[in-house]
Amino acid sequence: MDAAINANTDIVDGSLVESTMPLLGLDELGLEDADRKYLVTLVTTYRGGPVGPRSLAANVGLDLATVEHVIEPPCC
């Protein structure tokens, strides 16, 4: 909504979202750098899993809380 206010509009459309994503550090899929590192490590180091969140967090360089609450939040 802040982007819409800055653009002086009440309408949030695809164009506004696309122009705002890079400012937020998001790629075209909506992923941040930490998300991409997590996925690359999961695929290259662990060949898709299984792997526990502690091991994955340590290999990616993230704290466990970030993995558990941001990247892999609990379902429902």
Side-chain angles (χ1 to χ4, degrees):
M1 193 63 185
D2 290 341
I5 292 168
N6 282 340
N8 198 28
T9 183
D10 293 330
I11 300 170
V12 176
D13 61 9
S15 174
L16 181 63
V17 171
E18 287 178 12
S19 66
T20 303
M21 287 177 66
L23 301 173
L24 300 173
L26 302 173
D27 66 12
E28 64 277 354
L29 298 174
L31 301 174
E32 296 178 312
D33 187 49
D35 299 316
R36 288 186 295 277
K37 285 181 184 177
Y38 181 88
L39 292 171
V40 167
T41 301
L42 180 61
V43 170
T44 59
T45 303
Y46 297 102
R47 298 187 180 148
V51 61
R54 283 186 195 332
S55 298
L56 201 44
N59 270 307
V60 176
L62 297 170
D63 61 279
L64 182 59
T66 299
V67 170
E68 291 180 334
H69 299 289
V70 177
I71 296 178
E72 293 283 351
C75 176
C76 314

